[in-house]
């Protein structure tokens, strides 16, 4: 039965030749069905990861192991088996990966904080740092857990109040206020003494310069209203004289030469006088 399980799982794993989410989910479900053979299945995954020459495919097989660790619930069989070889598998892939694949391994390692013990992750960081000195080592959780178990934080001590104030019966003194800063002689005065004196405003009749006759206060003088300022008018010489109104001329009628015909008798007399002729002579 175990041989059949190993053969079936190995055949399915050989079909994974690229980062295929569907096949990774199928291998995860088979691992959940064969949880009783967790040690054999983990050995098949380790052997396949070591034999594959392509670093990208090695990273894909590591994704299969990551999917089994995060999705198979109800048992810790796979966690116990992978915890034995996870450092070896991770360093094996890291040595053969480029910068892009190492960045993907770094993101994958940060998701394992709840899957493996902190000591196992610290060992993984130390082994990886031997390959690449830029690999960060997170040892804060180890130092923090050890210090939190050994010692407990002590409560802060409050400063003791001065005896000069505590000896007064019935007076409650805040020690934080007393221990914050020493009081000077000027600050120890009462708040009434430190307040500035209000300015004294004299009444209208108290000033002797403002009093009228017989010591009586002078009546208030009302301010005289000034007439509004009229705009200045330029002198008449600089003004522009108004132009006289234009006289309308009657329309000129065209000259017409009219000739009045003379009567015949008058015409004859006129001609005779002009020619100094005798009126008795007839003109022909």
């Amino acid at each position: 039965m175990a041989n059949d399980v190993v053969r079936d799982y190995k055949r399915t794993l050989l079909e994974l030749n690229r980062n295929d989410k569907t096949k990774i989910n199928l291998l995860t479900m088979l691992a959940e069905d064969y949880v009783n053979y967790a040690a054999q299945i983990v050995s098949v995954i380790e052997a396949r990861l070591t034999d594959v020459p392509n670093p990208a495919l090695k990273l894909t097989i590591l994704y299969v192991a990551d999917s089994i660790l995060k999705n198979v619930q109800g048992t810790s069989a796979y966690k116990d088996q992978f915890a034995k070889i996870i450092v070896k598998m991770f360093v094996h892939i890291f040595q053969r990966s480029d910068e892009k694949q190492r960045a993907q391994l770094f993101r994958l390692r940060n998701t394992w904080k709840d899957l493996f013990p902190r000591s196992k992750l610290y060992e993984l960081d130390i082994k990886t740092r031997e390959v690449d000195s830029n690999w960060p080592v997170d040892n804060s959780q180890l130092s923090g857990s050890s210090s939190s178990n050994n010692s407990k934080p002590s409560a802060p001590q409050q400063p003791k109040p001065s005896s000069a104030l505590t000896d007064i019966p019935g007076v409650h003194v805040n020690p934080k206020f007393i221990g914050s800063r020493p009081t000077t002689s000027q600050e120890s005065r009462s708040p009434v003494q430190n307040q500035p004196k209000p300015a004294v405003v004299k009444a209208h009749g108290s000033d002797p310069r403002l009093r009228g006759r017989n010591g009586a206060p002078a009546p208030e003088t009302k301010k005289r209203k000034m007439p509004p300022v009229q705009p200045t008018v330029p002198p008449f010489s600089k003004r522009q004289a108004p132009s006289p109104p234009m006289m309308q001329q009657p329309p000129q009628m065209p000259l017409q030469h009219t000739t009045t015909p003379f009567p015949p008798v008058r015409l004859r007399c006129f001609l005779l006088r002009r020619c100094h002729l005798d009126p008795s002579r007839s003109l022909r």
Side-chain angles (χ1 to χ4, degrees):
M1 182 65 182
N3 295 332
D4 297 337
V5 171
V6 171
R7 192 183 307 109
D8 187 15
Y9 198 85
K10 186 176 182 179
R11 183 176 64 252
T12 308
L13 187 60
L14 290 174
E15 296 176 357
L16 182 66
N17 52 11
R18 60 185 180 87
N19 191 0
D20 191 354
K21 185 177 181 181
T22 303
K23 292 183 179 181
I24 292 175
N25 292 336
L26 176 60
L27 290 168
T28 303
M29 290 187 290
L30 288 175
E32 186 176 7
D33 294 338
Y34 301 147
V35 66
N36 295 328
Y37 305 95
Q40 290 82 356
I41 291 177
V42 171
S43 300
V44 171
I45 294 174
E46 181 185 7
R48 178 61 178 168
L49 186 143
T50 307
D51 296 339
V52 171
N54 188 5
L57 189 55
K58 290 179 182 292
L59 183 61
T60 303
I61 296 173
L62 187 62
Y63 288 154
V64 175
D66 177 75
S67 179
I68 294 172
L69 287 168
K70 294 177 180 177
N71 295 308
V72 177
Q73 304 293 334
T75 179
S76 61
Y78 287 105
K79 290 183 180 180
D80 297 339
Q81 294 297 325
F82 278 115
K84 299 176 183 179
I85 61 173
I86 190 63
V87 177
K88 179 181 177 182
M89 292 170 59
F90 193 89
V91 174
H92 174 79
I93 300 174
F94 190 84
Q95 291 175 346
R96 294 162 178 79
S97 302
D98 55 8
E99 295 297 330
K100 182 179 179 181
Q101 294 169 353
R102 289 185 178 184
Q104 294 175 354
L105 286 170
F106 178 75
R107 290 194 294 268
L108 183 64
R109 177 251 176 269
N110 290 333
T111 62
W112 290 348
K113 295 181 180 180
D114 297 334
L115 297 177
F116 298 107
R118 288 189 289 266
S119 59
K120 183 62 66 175
L121 295 177
Y122 181 74
E123 180 184 358
L124 186 147
D125 291 338
I126 293 297
K127 293 292 183 181
T128 309
R129 190 180 180 86
E130 294 177 358
V131 180
D132 187 0
S133 59
N134 295 325
W135 185 268
V137 178
D138 186 11
N139 56 359
S140 60
Q141 296 181 357
L142 289 176
S143 60
S145 60
S146 59
S147 61
S148 60
N149 294 331
N150 295 333
S151 62
K152 294 182 179 180
S154 58
Q157 297 180 358
Q158 298 180 354
K160 296 181 179 180
S162 60
S163 59
L165 296 176
T166 54
D167 294 341
I168 302 174
V171 177
H172 177 70
V173 180
N174 189 357
K176 294 183 179 180
F177 177 77
I178 297 175
S180 60
R181 59 185 177 88
T183 58
T184 59
S185 59
Q186 295 180 358
E187 294 177 351
S188 61
R189 297 177 182 177
S190 61
V192 178
Q193 296 177 359
N194 293 332
Q195 292 181 356
K197 296 181 179 181
V200 178
V201 180
K202 293 183 178 182
H204 184 69
S206 60
D207 194 350
R209 294 175 297 178
L210 302 178
R211 295 180 180 179
R213 297 179 180 179
N214 300 327
E220 296 183 359
T221 58
K222 295 184 180 180
K223 293 184 178 180
R224 185 175 59 182
K225 294 184 179 180
M226 298 298 295
V229 179
Q230 297 293 337
T232 57
V233 180
F236 184 79
S237 61
K238 295 184 179 180
R239 297 183 194 176
Q240 293 182 359
S243 58
M246 297 296 294
M247 298 296 294
Q248 294 184 359
Q249 297 180 0
Q252 296 180 1
M253 300 298 294
L255 297 177
Q256 296 181 0
H257 298 281
T258 58
T259 57
T260 304
F262 288 94
V265 177
R266 294 179 59 187
L267 178 61
R268 182 177 180 182
C269 293
F270 175 76
L271 294 175
L272 290 175
R273 284 194 301 268
R274 296 283 294 177
C275 297
H276 302 282
L277 296 178
D278 187 5
S280 62
R281 295 180 64 181
S282 61
L283 294 176
R284 294 181 181 181

